[in-house]
Amino acid sequence: MMNAVLAGVIGFIRYLGRFGLGFFERLGRAHLFLISLLLALPAVLARFRLTVVQMYSVGFLSLVIIVVSGLFVGMVLGLQGYNTLVDFGAEESLGVLVALSLVRELGPVVSALLFAGRAGSALTAEIGLMKATEQLSAMEMMAVDPFRRVLGPRFLAGFISMPLLAAMFSAVGIIGGYFVGVGLLGVDTGAFWAQMQSAVGVREDIMNGVIKSIVFGFAVTWIAVFEGYDTIPTSEGISRATTRTVVNSSLAVLGLDFILTALMFN
Amino acid sequence: MLQSKTIEIIVGIFVLLGLAALLMLSMKVSNIGGPGEGSGYKIEAEFLNIGGLKTRAPVKMAGVTIGRVHGISIDEDTYNAVVVMNISNDYKNIPMDTSASIYTAGLLGEQYISLQPGGSETYLAEGDQIQITSDAVVLEEIIGQFMYNQAAGGNEDGGNGGGLDF
């Protein structure tokens, strides 16, 4: 009886240990992977056309979802903000509210989450399938470095596209907020823009938002490309890797956002 | 699969769109951005104190926005604030003896200029100045005055000297 309980407890502890070891092993592999990726970057930059082709599928094809979401997020901010501000007779501050929430937080974070779902999962699935069908091994056989040829361009494309997408998200969102606030609810045009202009700073708000989106772009594409490369080469492995990409990169974006906000706006 | 030339053009457009969005965000901050003021004519008014009035604030007559504040500067001789207003061409016949006041929209709202028309037959034109103005109300001054009056009133009534008895 006692022995059975003891064996159960030991089994549980062993499970925990295996889990922890596996976690740190993966973390170590991810960092080694990142180093190889960064070492391959000069070669990737030398053949930039490969990256341009990837920017089409990673960046341009994500444009529709980013623009549509940005527009609706901005319009909802306009509606909700107006309803709250009008109680204080301060509906002219709607522009400030919409612009600051988009530029500082919602733009980088929501576009990074969408980017992880739209582009990150696609990257993982593509690279995972390449691994499962042994295309990556075949390349190595032919002395073609997959880091320079496949992984590097995809990583760089995501890294470049993400800040651009976040900027578009914020800009379209502000236009959506303007459309609802000024067009539908009758906030004064001049006050909307003037208060926004006097409250939003280039360095403290817009640059910090851009820095956030650069960090998120780095984290999301790193996770996506790594999960694809680290896939167990079966169909189930690919589906698991795709799920992990979306979950892990969303968690990373939210965690990093808290840290960056605490560092920037304190 | 698309032609690689087409893809390059599309990616170029994508990058341009992203940079345009960044540019638009940056322009928001400086006063270059935003919708234009349209055509109109400019009139001036001098104030002793403009409070929190900002450029692009509305100029209203009877509550209707008829123009915007174009620029704010200081008169170097009198140290008064000179406010240049851009009035829409739709409102050409504003009397010469119109008076201008600075009001606040709501308790926390933005400040704007309100014009009260006079009875003159001649109308303001480009570059004219409004002579009768009343300044922005500064809340601290009113509170200070109120406290002072209360204290003075208390002394007269009670005669027990000193103290703010509200």
Side-chain angles (χ1 to χ4, degrees), chain A residues 148-187:
Chain A
R148 295 183 185 183
R149 182 80 202 187
V150 174
L151 305 168
R154 283 170 174 74
F155 175 73
L156 192 63
F159 181 63
I160 297 173
S161 303
M162 181 55 223
L164 298 173
L165 290 171
M168 282 184 237
F169 186 98
S170 301
V172 171
I174 290 169
I175 293 170
Y178 171 80
F179 177 68
V180 166
V182 176
L184 292 180
L185 300 171
V187 174

Side-chain angles (χ1 to χ4, degrees), chain A residues 16 18 32 46 49 86 91 102 115 117 122 142 166 173 206 226 231 245 265:
Chain A
L16 268 185
R18 197 168 59 203
L32 289 176
R49 294 195 60 193
V86 80
E91 64 268 25
L102 277 169
F115 184 74
M142 295 186 290
I206 292 177
F226 172 71
T231 308
T245 294
F265 301 108

Side-chain angles (χ1 to χ4, degrees), chain B residues 73-123:
Chain B
S73 55
I74 281 271
D75 187 314
E76 299 206 337
D77 299 324
T78 60
Y79 300 109
N80 287 343
V82 179
V83 176
V84 180
M85 291 167 269
N86 192 33
I87 307 291
S88 164
N89 277 332
D90 298 343
Y91 310 98
K92 271 289 186 193
N93 39 5
I94 298 172
M96 206 70 188
D97 55 351
T98 294
S99 64
S101 334
I102 298 177
Y103 290 136
T104 308
L107 193 60
L108 302 166
E110 215 193 16
Q111 290 193 304
Y112 65 96
I113 293 185
S114 174
L115 299 181
Q116 290 88 27
S120 170
E121 294 285 316
T122 51
Y123 300 121

Side-chain angles (χ1 to χ4, degrees), chain A residues 35 71 84 176 179 181 203 207 216 231 251 257:
Chain A
I35 290 169
L71 192 68
T84 310
F179 177 68
R203 281 239 23 238
M207 275 318 292
F216 296 162
T231 308
L251 290 176
D257 181 49

Side-chain angles (χ1 to χ4, degrees), chain A residues 199-222:
Chain A
V200 180
V202 178
R203 281 239 23 238
E204 59 267 33
D205 298 316
I206 292 177
M207 275 318 292
N208 279 345
V210 171
I211 292 170
K212 270 187 181 182
S213 61
I214 290 174
V215 173
F216 296 162
F218 182 86
V220 170
T221 23
W222 174 25

